[in-house]
C-alpha cells in the first residue's frame, strides 16, 4: 500500500495532527504500517498530518528499521524520523518521537501492525468531537494470546486500585491522542514500558478530560511479544513507586 501523495507536494508548516509511530525492530513492516495510517487519515478527511517514525536501535543489534524509516522520511515531506542509538526503551522512544511532533494534536501508536489504523483516526475524531484533552483506546477484542490478556488484566486492576477515578479500562492501550496543550503539561520521564501508565497518572494529576474508544488489538506476526511476566513485575513495582511519590507530594503540600 503506497502512502497517498500530498496535495500540494510540500507539507504545511503546522500539521493538524502528528502521529508518533513506535517502530522498534519493525523492519520492513514499518512501510505498510505507515501507508495504512496515512490512508486511514486521508479517508477521514485528515490530509494535513505528520508521521513521526521512531526507529531507534540498540548498539550492536542487527536491525534494518533505522534504514527503513530514514528512507521513508527522505521520500515524503510529511514524514520525519528518529533513528538514533537508544538511551532507553519504549518510554525513551516515545518521548523522543513526541519531541519531534509539530502538530496541534499528537498521537502515539505502535508500528508492529497490531493497532488498526482506522482506530487511530477514530480516536482523533473522538478527541475533536468530544471536547477531550486526551483520548485512548480500550482493547475489547485481542488477538495476542492468553498470557498478554492476563498480564493486562492484572495490571489494569492494580492501576485502578492505586490510582482510582480515571474513566479508562485499558491503561497501556494505544492509540493515545492528545491536544498539544495537554501534552505540554505532562511531566514524562519513564524510559521503559511504564510510559503509557505514566501518561495516565499525569492526566489524573492534571484533571484532564479523558475519552475512550473501543478497539481491536490484532495478533502479532513476525516476532514474539516484548511483554512477559518479568515486565508485569516491573509494571507493578513502578505503580507502587509512583503511588508512594504521589502520597509524599500530598503530605508535603
Amino acid at each position: 500500500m503506497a502512502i497517498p501523495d500530498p496535495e500540494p507536494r510540500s507539507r504545511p508548516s503546522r500539521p493538524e495532527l502528528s502521529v508518533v509511530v513506535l517502530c522498534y525492530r519493525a523492519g520492513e513492516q514499518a512501510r505498510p504500517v505507515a501507508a495504512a495510517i496515512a490512508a486511514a487519515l486521508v479517508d477521514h478527511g485528515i490530509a494535513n498530518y505528520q508521521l513521526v517514525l521512531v526507529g531507534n536501535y540498540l548498539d550492536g543489534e542487527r536491525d534494518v528499521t533505522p534504514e527503513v524509516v530514514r528512507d521513508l522520511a527522505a521520500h515524503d515531506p510529511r514524514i520525519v524520523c528518529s533513528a538514533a542509538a537508544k538511551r532507553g526503551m519504549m518510554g525513551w522512544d516515545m518521548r523522543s518521537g513526541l519531541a519531534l511532533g509539530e502538530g496541534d494534536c499528537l498521537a502515539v501508536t505502535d508500528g508492529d501492525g497490531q493497532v488498526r489504523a482506522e482506530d487511530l483516526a477514530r480516536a482523533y475524531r473522538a478527541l475533536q468531537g468530544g471536547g477531550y484533552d486526551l483520548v485512548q483506546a480500550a482493547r475489547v477484542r485481542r488477538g495476542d494470546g492468553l498470557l498478554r490478556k492476563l498480564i493486562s488484566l492484572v495490571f489494569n486492576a492494580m492501576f485502578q486500585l492505586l490510582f482510582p477515578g480515571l474513566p479508562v479500562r485499558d491503561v497501556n492501550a494505544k492509540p493515545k491522542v492528545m491536544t498539544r496543550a495537554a501534552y505540554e503539561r505532562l511531566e514524562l520521564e519513564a524510559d521503559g514500558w511504564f510510559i503509557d501508565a505514566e501518561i495516565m497518572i499525569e492526566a489524573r494529576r492534571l484533571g484532564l478530560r479523558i475519552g475512550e474508544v473501543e478497539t481491536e488489538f490484532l495478533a502479532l506476526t513476525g516476532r514474539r511479544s516484548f511483554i512477559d511476566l518479568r515486565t508485569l513485575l516491573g509494571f507493578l513495582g513502578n505503580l507502587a513507586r509512583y503511588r508512594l511519590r504521589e502520597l509524599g507530594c500530598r503530605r508535603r503540600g
Side-chain angles (χ1 to χ4, degrees):
M1 180 189 299
I3 295 177
D5 285 335
E7 292 292 344
R9 285 295 299 177
S10 60
R11 176 175 56 79
S13 59
R14 182 76 170 190
E16 173 183 350
L17 174 67
S18 292
V19 181
V20 176
V21 187
L22 302 175
C23 299
Y24 174 57
R25 292 182 65 180
E28 291 293 335
Q29 179 70 13
R31 297 185 191 274
V33 167
I37 292 171
L41 295 177
V42 171
D43 286 348
H44 281 76
I46 309 160
N48 182 14
Y49 65 85
Q50 176 194 43
L51 298 186
V52 182
L53 305 181
V54 182
N56 298 330
Y57 61 93
L58 291 173
D59 279 329
E61 185 176 62
R62 298 183 62 181
D63 183 7
V64 300
T65 309
E67 286 73 26
V68 171
V69 299
R70 289 190 191 108
D71 180 61
L72 288 167
H75 290 90
D76 192 323
R78 299 159 301 179
I79 298 178
V80 297
C81 73
S82 175
K86 291 166 75 71
R87 299 198 298 273
M89 294 305 292
M90 191 185 80
W92 188 81
D93 284 347
M94 186 187 297
R95 292 190 292 111
S96 66
L98 287 168
L100 293 174
E102 300 171 357
D104 294 323
C105 295
L106 300 104
V108 179
T109 190
D110 292 324
D112 56 12
Q114 288 193 274
V115 177
R116 296 172 66 244
E118 167 71 17
D119 292 338
L120 169 66
R122 288 197 304 109
Y124 175 57
R125 288 307 188 200
L127 180 82
Q128 290 183 308
Y132 299 113
D133 300 304
L134 186 153
V135 169
Q136 77 149 42
R139 295 169 289 190
V140 295
R141 291 179 298 277
R142 303 180 60 141
D144 54 347
L146 181 60
L147 179 60
R148 285 288 302 274
K149 293 175 184 177
L150 178 61
I151 289 172
S152 183
L153 180 65
V154 172
F155 178 75
N156 281 299
M158 289 302 298
F159 185 95
Q160 292 297 340
L161 178 65
L162 294 174
F163 298 95
L166 277 178
V168 296
R169 291 170 282 172
D170 195 359
V171 172
N172 283 341
K174 298 183 188 69
K176 284 180 169 64
V177 189
M178 68 194 86
T179 65
R180 174 163 290 278
Y183 163 65
E184 290 179 349
R185 296 178 67 195
L186 301 177
E187 297 178 4
L188 302 178
E189 61 182 46
D191 280 341
W193 301 107
F194 197 70
I195 185 72
D196 281 299
E198 186 178 52
I199 289 173
M200 303 315 297
I201 291 170
E202 281 290 291
R204 178 178 178 270
R205 178 181 67 84
L206 295 167
L208 299 184
R209 296 162 296 178
I210 300 172
E212 191 176 68
V213 294
E214 293 187 347
T215 65
E216 178 181 5
F217 198 52
L218 304 177
L220 181 64
T221 59
R223 65 168 175 81
R224 295 179 60 184
S225 171
F226 298 126
I227 305 298
D228 54 23
L229 290 175
R230 184 173 59 179
T231 310
L232 174 61
L233 294 176
F235 282 155
L236 297 179
N238 277 316
L239 282 179
R241 181 166 62 88
Y242 274 70
R243 180 57 177 163
L244 289 172
R245 178 192 295 181
E246 182 180 273
L247 292 173
C249 289
R250 287 180 180 176
R251 292 192 184 99
R252 288 193 298 271

